Amino acid sequence: MPGTGRRGRPPLSQKYGSTRAILTTTPRRNSGDAASPGPDDLPNWKAAIDAFQATFVRSINDLQASFEKLEVEIGKSIEFQANRIDDLFDKMADRDMQHADLVQRIAVLEDTLSTKDKAINSLERMSRRNNFRIVGLPVKPGENCEVLVRDQVLSLFESADDVNIERCHRDGRSTPERPPHVLVRCLSFKDKLYVMKNRRTALEGKGFFIVDDLTRTDLAEKKKWSAKVKQLYDSGTIKLRFAGGNWRDGSGKPYVF
């Protein structure tokens, strides 16, 4: 057909219109397309920005207020704990003073107790001053201790008749190896001293022997150094004797081990 171009196809100007019409035609917007802001939309954006800025400032202020409140609370807590620590230190200082006072009082009491113990031991030692003990003297049925002592012990001394006995009796426990001691109290210290000085010679070779009547404290002190005293004697270093609660040298002075 004339004027139709290629066979069967209409010309482009007939199908789409003229080129000017295509270029000047405004495209239709879909509802989902983002619209570019126009002059009328600028006030809305400014209001949104102002609102966001106000919200941001308010949030910052609230956060700052929260931090300040937390800081105050932490400061109060620290101050409270600091006061508690100060109180604890004060109480500890009081306890230290009380402890020091108690330690001092205990030291005084221990010193007083030691002094009293020494005084009591000294008094007990004086009460035993005229006593001596016979160790290993066999027990006889129905025995009279005073008669037994005079007949079997004092009779071995040269001046036995000069020794006056105030009283005597068995004392302590008996063992299968050894009978109870015989505790003898002389009428005077002079009589007791005579017996103690001559006991080794008079009782040599006998199955019993005589010792001083010591207090428990003095006996413990004597036993404490007995091995050392024997060692010193066997080595020929020094000869010691026990008297007045101490081991003493030849001059009577207490020996320092």
Side-chain angles (χ1 to χ4, degrees):
M1 295 178 61
T4 59
R6 294 184 180 181
R7 187 174 53 183
R9 293 184 180 181
L12 293 174
S13 59
Q14 184 179 350
K15 185 175 181 180
Y16 297 104
S18 64
T19 303
R20 183 182 296 276
I22 293 173
L23 294 175
T24 57
T25 301
T26 303
R28 186 175 297 175
R29 296 179 182 174
N30 294 327
S31 59
D33 294 340
S36 298
D40 295 336
D41 296 329
L42 290 178
N44 296 331
W45 281 97
K46 186 176 184 302
I49 292 174
D50 292 342
F52 173 76
Q53 184 178 4
T55 302
F56 180 77
V57 171
R58 185 167 55 252
S59 299
I60 294 297
N61 291 336
D62 292 343
L63 186 61
Q64 184 177 0
S66 299
F67 280 137
E68 291 176 354
K69 182 178 179 181
L70 182 61
E71 183 180 4
V72 172
E73 291 178 353
I74 292 175
K76 290 181 179 179
S77 178
I78 293 175
E79 184 179 1
F80 175 74
Q81 296 298 332
N83 291 333
R84 287 189 61 188
I85 292 174
D86 290 340
D87 291 340
L88 289 175
F89 274 113
D90 291 340
K91 291 180 180 179
M92 289 179 61
D94 292 340
R95 293 292 186 275
D96 290 341
M97 292 180 62
Q98 293 176 4
H99 178 263
D101 181 62
L102 288 175
V103 169
Q104 184 178 2
R105 291 176 62 185
I106 290 173
V108 172
L109 290 175
E110 288 178 344
D111 184 64
T112 302
L113 182 61
S114 177
T115 302
K116 290 186 179 299
D117 285 343
K118 291 179 180 179
I120 291 172
N121 187 60
S122 178
L123 290 174
E124 186 179 358
R125 185 186 301 137
M126 290 298 296
S127 70
R128 298 172 182 241
R129 189 167 183 262
N130 297 348
N131 299 354
F132 64 86
R133 289 176 176 268
I134 306 173
V135 183
L137 188 64
V139 178
K140 291 186 177 181
E143 66 184 6
N144 182 307
C145 282
E146 184 173 350
V147 174
L148 184 67
V149 169
R150 287 197 174 278
D151 291 346
Q152 295 193 22
V153 181
L154 294 183
S155 61
L156 301 173
F157 289 79
E158 293 183 0
S159 302
D161 294 338
D162 296 336
V163 177
N164 296 311
I165 297 176
E166 183 178 345
R167 63 178 182 271
C168 62
H169 59 81
R170 292 281 178 178
D171 183 65
R173 298 178 181 178
S174 62
T175 65
E177 298 80 16
R178 183 170 292 175
H181 297 180
V182 177
L183 178 60
V184 181
R185 182 176 182 83
C186 296
L187 193 61
S188 67
F189 178 69
K190 180 181 178 181
D191 294 341
K192 182 260 184 86
L193 191 61
Y194 168 77
V195 172
M196 297 301 293
K197 283 184 176 181
N198 297 279
R199 56 183 171 165
R200 295 185 182 277
T201 304
L203 304 180
E204 185 177 2
K206 304 299 179 181
F208 53 88
F209 56 92
I210 292 176
V211 297
D212 198 0
D213 182 29
L214 301 176
T215 66
R216 288 189 177 184
T217 302
D218 291 349
L219 183 60
E221 181 68 15
K222 182 179 180 181
K223 289 182 176 180
K224 179 180 178 180
W225 302 106
S226 293
K228 184 66 175 179
V229 170
K230 185 176 184 304
Q231 181 181 356
L232 293 172
Y233 178 76
D234 292 342
S235 64
T237 303
I238 191 173
K239 181 179 181 181
L240 303 176
R241 64 184 182 87
F242 192 84
N246 292 286
W247 284 102
R248 301 176 184 273
D249 58 19
S251 64
K253 296 181 179 179
Y255 184 80
V256 180
F257 292 93

